[in-house]
Amino acid sequence: MDFDSLFKSQIDALKAEGNYRIFADLERRRGAFPQAGCHRDGGVGNVTVWCSNDYLAMGQHPAVVQAMVDTVQACGTGAGGTRNIGGNTVHHRALEAELADLHGKERALLFTSGYVSNWAALSTLGARIPNAVIFSDAGNHASMIEGIRHSRADKVLWAHNDWRDLDRKLHAVGERPKIVAFESVYSMDGDIAPIREIVEVCEAHGALSYIDEVHAVGMYGPRGGGVSEERGLAHRIDLIEGTLGKAFGVVGGYITGSDALCDFIRSFASGFIFTTALPPAVAAAATASIRHLKSSGTERAAQKAAVALVRAKLDHAGIPHMANDSHIIPVMIGDPVKCRMISDILMEDWGIYVQPINYPTVPKGTERLRITPGPNHSDADIDRLVAALGALWKRCAISHAVA
Ligand SMILES: *Cc1c(COP(=O)(O)O)cnc(C)c1O
């Protein structure tokens, strides 16, 4: 078997449909973000990053950087093993306490990423709750879909954000243990779930509610506890999952919930048990970031102002973007080749980095640029972005209708 030619032929098929992924070689520079170095053709250029999930620039916040540096100096680099074998460190415990407090829950449990936390928690719940059925929003992230699949539990898809459909489907299943998995902010369309209605439906059916707040933690709510905090619903949700890698600017994932729920996942989840714990310095940096964002609204306010300004200027320039109530601005292109080309021109001619979002991240025909303004994008950065998009819209004759 010639494996390499098999690999290459599948890659060639991706290239032919315009969905081959090319990553930019970026060099983040502390203090300069969203400006960054970009390595290409043996040289280094400067780019403005417009698609980062380091939404609040916490990845370069002095308190976060200092916590990581101090803890590396004090503890060294790695955790030295899984928590089963290497033990807990005070930094992991402190971070879990911080997270439990953030969401008003009894306990939290850390994972190496948000992906792993969803995968491990859902696969454990689905596999170990006898006769369970998992009700999954049709727009759920790959990490939840894979966790549910791995659990081998029965799965029922409900129409995206449609709590009436959820209600009907929960009713149809009758007396079985039910788990309802959904997100607060959906990352590609930037739409926000009707959380109150979903929670009420869950309560009416005695279902366990599971929310992914990955794109909302640090960003929404007076203390950055997510949309569930903002809407006063956190105490009615059984499990809140989040990441430390986006608005908190570090890396890692977690779940929060009751003491029994977290202890159950801790005790049975392969994705928790059999992998090396996060480095203590990462845990300390995440703790510093969460603490900062619990008491400071400055970053959130500046970020919201930048989002509003970008939207207003896009409107003024006649560039269509999807309306939503979040910080995510999808600019629809609707074609993978054009999407890639626009992204390339933005980079080459304007020093603007916006990664094209193509299939399978979004459905075919809904290819887009996903713009995430941050607190440190200046008015000049924003003007430049809108001028570049305006020029490209003329040049590429892209539809001005919102997809
Ligand atoms: C990014 C993302 C994750 C995974 O989080 P990581 O910490 O990046 O692994 C989970 N859920 C959603 C909705 C995401 O967008």
Side-chain angles (χ1 to χ4, degrees), residues 352-380:
I352 288 171
Y353 174 53
V354 193
Q355 179 73 355
I357 309 277
N358 285 356
Y359 177 83
T361 310
V362 295
K364 288 182 181 174
T366 72
E367 292 79 5
R368 67 195 68 186
L369 303 174
R370 175 181 176 274
I371 297 172
T372 53
N376 296 349
H377 284 109
S378 67
D379 287 5

Side-chain angles (χ1 to χ4, degrees), residues 113-115 118 141 143 183 212 214-215 243 246 252:
S113 73
Y115 187 103
N118 270 333
H141 187 258
S143 54
E183 301 180 23
D212 173 321
V214 159
H215 289 277
T243 185
K246 290 171 183 170

Side-chain angles (χ1 to χ4, degrees), residues 174-193:
E175 286 300 309
R176 290 175 66 181
K178 304 172 190 82
I179 299 161
V180 172
F182 63 109
E183 301 180 23
S184 57
V185 178
Y186 286 84
S187 69
M188 291 303 145
D189 288 355
D191 55 326
I192 301 181

Side-chain angles (χ1 to χ4, degrees), residues 122-315:
L122 281 167
S123 62
T124 303
L125 290 169
R128 300 207 67 107
I129 298 174
N131 206 27
V133 191
I134 304 183
F135 295 78
S136 179
D137 182 288
N140 275 346
H141 187 258
S143 54
M144 285 199 268
I145 296 169
E146 292 298 332
I148 295 165
R149 191 202 314 259
H150 187 76
S151 79
R152 299 205 186 100
D154 288 342
K155 164 175 160 176
V156 176
L157 268 187
W158 47 288
H160 178 54
N161 282 346
D162 186 344
W163 54 271
R164 290 185 184 85
D165 187 46
L166 172 65
D167 187 39
R168 274 191 296 274
K169 286 174 170 163
L170 283 163
H171 191 77
V173 158
E175 286 300 309
R176 290 175 66 181
K178 304 172 190 82
I179 299 161
V180 172
F182 63 109
E183 301 180 23
S184 57
V185 178
Y186 286 84
S187 69
M188 291 303 145
D189 288 355
D191 55 326
I192 301 181
I195 303 177
R196 179 177 301 278
E197 287 80 356
I198 294 170
V199 167
E200 279 166 6
V201 167
C202 288
E203 288 169 350
H205 292 275
L208 185 146
S209 48
Y210 183 118
I211 193 168
D212 173 321
E213 286 249 50
V214 159
H215 289 277
V217 291
M219 305 283 292
Y220 297 83
R223 300 197 311 157
V227 182
S228 58
E229 184 199 17
E230 185 176 59
R231 298 185 180 177
L233 295 166
H235 63 289
R236 291 170 68 183
I237 299 172
D238 294 301
L239 187 156
I240 299 176
E241 183 271 346
T243 185
L244 306 169
K246 290 171 183 170
F248 292 128
V250 191
V251 70
Y254 65 89
I255 60 164
T256 61
S258 71
D259 192 49
L261 169 65
C262 293
D263 205 28
F264 177 76
I265 308 286
R266 184 187 74 90
S267 303
F268 294 116
S270 153
F272 174 82
I273 298 170
F274 295 106
T275 189
T276 299
L278 290 171
V282 165
T287 304
S289 183
I290 296 162
R291 268 189 201 149
H292 179 83
L293 289 175
K294 273 180 184 171
S295 58
S296 167
T298 314
E299 293 79 8
R300 285 188 284 273
Q303 193 261 355
K304 282 198 174 75
V307 172
L309 191 57
V310 171
R311 284 189 191 280
K313 295 207 166 185
L314 287 175
D315 285 341

Side-chain angles (χ1 to χ4, degrees), residues 20-70:
Y20 182 65
R21 292 173 184 233
I22 300 162
F23 301 148
D25 269 336
L26 294 188
E27 186 178 342
R28 286 168 63 99
R29 296 178 182 139
R30 178 173 58 87
F33 180 75
Q35 316 303 331
C38 179
H39 292 245
R40 226 178 27 177
D41 308 326
V44 193
N46 280 310
V47 294
T48 307
V49 178
W50 276 103
C51 55
S52 177
N53 287 336
D54 185 0
Y55 294 128
L56 300 176
M58 292 306 286
Q60 65 181 9
H61 191 281
V64 178
V65 172
Q66 197 60 49
M68 189 179 281
V69 170
D70 288 350

